[in-house]
């Protein structure tokens, strides 16, 4: 029971406030005010004769300060120091803000670990190791990579490549995303695999052996520009459907070698001009650099730190390497081949091939589109798309605007109409643009020879289609022999290299048709006996 002389008094703020009055005035529960008073945060100004607490006129303001600081998470000891002026509010706020930041980082790290576990569908056994890796300090993370690189590069002479490796460290942010944390976990696992240190050592040793003497930032920037040029030209060649071992790849290779040669100045036995030795050296460099584990290492480092990933060489690297293997010598054009192409005879051959291949295309049912063909593991759908593109590409050359959409969908939802339309467009271009009597490209090749190449391609791919469908392969008998002869003239000296257009020539079976022998010459497996 309260003191009857005190209850209900002084609620107008003009005099001392009872604990109940202070609670009603501020909205803070009596129990909380009593607790804070006991901890020295809100000492009473006086007490009644019965021992009840009375608070002065400054109590509401002081209570608001205490409540605000407690809501911000500041402890009672720190609040007491502020109220007693032992520490300034600014000092206390800064200290607790730092502590709060640390808690937030911990919570974000815990959240990132949990999300990484969820996204990676990690096993329970992986969780302790993943948590341990996530808790490492920045110095501990750097030490893992530094120790790994020191062991991998032990004894390797200093070079720009070696220095770059040692300078790159996984600086994981304080609040990593699940992607960054996942990359760090994967990177920590990658550096324990034996393939990576061996690959890094090979690259570092090669760099130390072949780097230009006194190479500085300018030389490094020049090498980066050449690498970017190689990637851009190779990607453009892939998009345009230029096979690495085709004559069309020759000028691309020549341009890349010419751009690369200046970067070799100052190296041992630096090549002075384009030639077999220069191309062999560039090929060696590309092969040495093609280390999947090293590429993965750099990509993970970039993912951990949030830096942009290096360009993906992928298809561009494969194309450039294959093109160099196929063109180890600068292209020497045999111009006699140009003069052996009769424009009118080529046009006749195109019509005959289109007639028979078109009949095969018309027989392809939707269910047949998924069948595998003898051509580079292509399905029937992909084969048809390529034949349509061959027609469209030839027509665009005739019109002076070569297409670059090799990877686009050229079939749509009606493969028969797509093939027929492309053949009509090509035939109209061949006959209406003067293509058969004009010359094209850096080697001044006659248009009739370009059409002849289309005839060879369509007859060979028609054979692929017939084989996939189980149809007779004796296509275009009126012109197949001369088309085979043309293939020998055009492609007889073409290299049979990995990643190129043609596999090694195969023997044709006895009694094979000319189309069968063309397919065998271009490296196709012969059809089962009884077909053709």
């Amino acid at each position: 029971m309260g003191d009857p002389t005190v209850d209900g008094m002084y609620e107008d703020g003009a005099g001392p406030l009872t604990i109940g009055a202070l609670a009603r005035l501020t909205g803070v529960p009596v129990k909380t005010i009593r607790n804070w008073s006991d901890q020295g945060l809100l000492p009473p100004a006086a007490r009644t004769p019965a021992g009840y607490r009375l608070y002065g006129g400054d109590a509401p303001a002081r209570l608001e300060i205490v409540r605000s600081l407690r809501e911000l998470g500041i402890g009672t000891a720190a609040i007491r120091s502020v109220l007693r002026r032992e520490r300034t509010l600014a000092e206390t706020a800064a200290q607790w803000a730092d502590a709060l930041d640390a808690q937030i980082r911990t919570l974000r790290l815990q959240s990132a670990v949990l999300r990484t576990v969820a996204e990676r569908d990690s096993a329970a056994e992986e969780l302790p190791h993943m948590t341990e890796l996530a808790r490492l300090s920045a110095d501990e993370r750097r030490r893992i990579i530094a120790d790994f690189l020191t062991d991998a590069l032990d004894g390797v002479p200093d070079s720009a490549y070696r220095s770059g490796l040692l300078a790159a460290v996984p600086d994981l942010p304080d609040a990593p995303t699940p992607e960054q944390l996942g990359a760090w976990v994967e990177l920590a696992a990658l550096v324990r695999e034996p393939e990576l240190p061996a690959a890094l050592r090979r690259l570092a040793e090669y760099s130390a052996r072949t780097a230009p003497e006194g190479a500085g930032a300018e030389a490094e920037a020049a090498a980066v520009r050449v690498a970017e040029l190689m990637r851009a030209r190779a990607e453009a060649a892939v998009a345009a459907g230029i096979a690495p071992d085709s004559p069309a790849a020759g000028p691309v290779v020549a341009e890349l070698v010419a751009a690369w040669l200046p970067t070799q100045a100052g190296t041992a036995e630096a090549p002075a001009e384009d030639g077999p030795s220069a191309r062999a050296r560039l090929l060696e460099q590309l092969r040495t650099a093609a280390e999947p584990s090293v590429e993965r290492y750099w990509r993970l480092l970039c993912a951990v730190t949030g830096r942009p990933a290096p360009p993906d060489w992928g298809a561009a690297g494969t194309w450039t390497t294959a093109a160099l293997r196929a063109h180890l010598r600068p292209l020497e054009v045999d111009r006699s081949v140009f003069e052996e192409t009769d424009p009118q005879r080529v046009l006749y051959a195109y019509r005959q091939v289109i007639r028979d291949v078109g009949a095969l295309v018309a027989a392809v049912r939707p269910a047949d589109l998924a069948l595998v063909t003898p051509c580079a593991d292509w399905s029937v759908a992909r084969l048809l798309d390529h034949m349509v593109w061959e027609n469209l590409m030839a027509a665009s050359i005739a019109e002076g605007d070569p297409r670059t959409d090799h990877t686009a969908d050229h079939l749509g939802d009606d493969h028969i109409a797509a093939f027929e339309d492309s053949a009509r467009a090509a035939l109209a271009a061949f006959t209406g643009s003067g293509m058969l009597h004009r010359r094209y490209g850096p080697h001044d090749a006659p248009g009739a020879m370009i059409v002849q190449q289309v005839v060879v391609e369509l007859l060979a791919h028609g054979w692929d289609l017939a084989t996939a469908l189980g149809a007779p392969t004796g296509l275009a008998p009126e012109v197949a022999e001369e088309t085979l002869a043309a293939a020998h003239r055009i492609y007889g000296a073409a290299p049979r290299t990995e990643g190129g257009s043609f596999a090694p020539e195969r023997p044709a079976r006895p009694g094979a048709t000319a189309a069968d022998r063309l397919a065998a010459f271009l490296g196709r497996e012969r059809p089962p006996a009884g077909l053709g």
Side-chain angles (χ1 to χ4, degrees), residues 43-243:
R47 288 183 179 267
T48 69
Y52 291 98
R53 307 174 206 227
L54 294 174
Y55 294 94
D58 64 338
R62 185 181 179 105
L63 185 57
E64 287 298 334
I65 293 173
V66 172
R67 176 164 62 178
S68 298
L69 292 175
R70 287 298 295 143
E71 287 177 349
L72 290 171
I74 297 179
T76 54
I79 296 174
R80 192 162 45 243
S81 296
V82 171
L83 295 173
R84 292 176 179 174
R85 301 185 184 281
E86 296 170 354
R87 298 190 67 185
T88 67
L89 177 60
E91 291 172 339
T92 301
Q95 178 187 0
W96 281 83
D98 291 342
L100 189 59
D101 286 342
Q103 293 177 21
I104 291 172
R105 285 195 295 270
T106 299
L107 291 172
R108 284 177 173 168
L109 190 60
Q110 292 171 350
S111 173
V113 170
L114 292 172
R115 292 192 183 279
T116 302
V117 169
E119 292 177 5
R120 291 163 61 97
D121 194 19
S122 303
E125 294 77 11
E126 297 179 83
L127 185 57
H129 179 63
M130 189 179 299
T131 305
E132 179 185 356
L133 289 173
R135 288 175 176 168
L136 294 175
S137 67
D139 287 340
E140 289 170 328
R141 287 192 296 270
R142 292 189 185 97
R143 178 52 53 194
I144 288 176
I145 301 302
D147 288 348
F148 157 72
L149 290 173
T150 299
D151 289 342
L153 304 179
D154 183 38
V156 177
D158 193 21
S159 66
Y161 183 80
R162 185 181 190 278
S163 300
L165 283 172
L166 293 172
V169 292
D171 192 11
L172 192 68
D174 291 334
T177 64
E179 292 76 16
Q180 288 175 309
L181 182 59
W184 165 238
V185 171
E186 189 174 345
L187 179 63
L190 181 63
V191 298
R192 296 196 300 271
E193 296 179 3
E195 294 84 359
L196 178 60
L200 283 172
R201 187 176 184 86
R202 283 194 298 271
L203 282 171
E205 289 176 338
Y206 185 83
S207 176
R209 190 171 67 250
T210 61
E213 293 183 7
E218 186 176 343
E220 184 177 348
V224 170
R225 287 194 298 271
V226 171
E228 179 57 29
L229 175 68
M230 288 185 178
R231 187 178 65 85
R233 292 293 186 269
E235 287 180 350
V238 171
I242 298 175

Side-chain angles (χ1 to χ4, degrees), residues 176-493:
T177 64
E179 292 76 16
Q180 288 175 309
L181 182 59
W184 165 238
V185 171
E186 189 174 345
L187 179 63
L190 181 63
V191 298
R192 296 196 300 271
E193 296 179 3
E195 294 84 359
L196 178 60
L200 283 172
R201 187 176 184 86
R202 283 194 298 271
L203 282 171
E205 289 176 338
Y206 185 83
S207 176
R209 190 171 67 250
T210 61
E213 293 183 7
E218 186 176 343
E220 184 177 348
V224 170
R225 287 194 298 271
V226 171
E228 179 57 29
L229 175 68
M230 288 185 178
R231 187 178 65 85
R233 292 293 186 269
E235 287 180 350
V238 171
I242 298 175
D245 57 355
S246 69
V252 180
V253 172
E255 179 188 6
L256 298 182
V257 173
W260 165 82
L261 279 171
T263 68
Q264 301 306 292
T267 63
E269 300 179 2
E273 60 183 14
D274 191 359
S277 62
R279 296 188 177 206
R281 183 168 181 163
L282 175 55
L283 180 58
E284 180 190 17
Q285 289 185 7
L286 293 176
R287 284 171 170 165
T288 303
E291 294 281 4
S293 61
V294 175
E295 182 178 355
R296 185 64 184 153
Y297 173 80
W298 285 112
R299 288 190 175 280
L300 289 172
L301 272 182
C302 291
V304 167
T305 59
R307 291 194 294 265
D312 181 9
W313 262 78
T318 300
W319 188 93
T320 305
T321 302
L324 273 167
R325 279 199 301 264
H327 300 276
L328 276 176
R329 293 180 176 276
L331 185 63
E332 297 177 0
V333 179
D334 180 6
R335 306 192 70 83
S336 65
V337 176
F338 294 176
E339 311 309 322
E340 297 180 24
T341 306
D342 181 343
Q344 294 308 313
R345 190 64 190 176
V346 165
L347 187 61
Y348 172 74
Y350 179 82
R351 288 191 170 104
Q352 305 312 303
V353 170
I354 284 295
R355 177 200 65 201
D356 286 4
V357 175
L360 284 172
V361 173
V364 174
R365 302 164 301 177
D368 297 330
L369 293 172
L371 293 175
V372 174
T373 74
C375 185
D377 297 325
W378 283 1
S379 66
V380 166
R382 187 172 178 189
L383 180 71
L384 292 177
D385 185 275
H386 181 74
M387 288 196 290
V388 169
W389 181 82
E390 288 278 359
N391 279 327
L392 296 175
M393 183 63 178
S396 70
I397 292 173
E399 294 161 357
D401 186 20
R403 302 174 71 104
T404 59
D405 59 344
H406 181 250
T407 58
D409 174 20
H410 304 100
L411 285 187
D413 55 6
D414 189 341
H415 59 278
I416 299 174
F419 183 82
E420 291 176 346
D421 290 346
S422 71
R424 278 194 294 269
L427 192 57
F430 297 161
T431 57
S433 67
M435 178 181 187
L436 294 173
H437 303 284
R438 290 162 57 193
R439 293 183 176 270
Y440 297 85
H443 303 299
D444 206 27
M449 195 179 83
I450 296 175
V451 178
Q452 180 71 79
Q453 288 179 284
V454 175
V455 172
V456 172
E457 285 278 323
L458 291 178
L459 183 55
H461 289 314
W463 182 95
D464 293 326
L465 179 59
T467 301
L469 298 175
T473 56
L475 305 173
E478 307 93 334
V479 296
E481 284 287 358
E482 61 194 78
T483 301
L484 173 59
H488 277 276
R489 289 197 307 273
I490 298 171
Y491 301 121

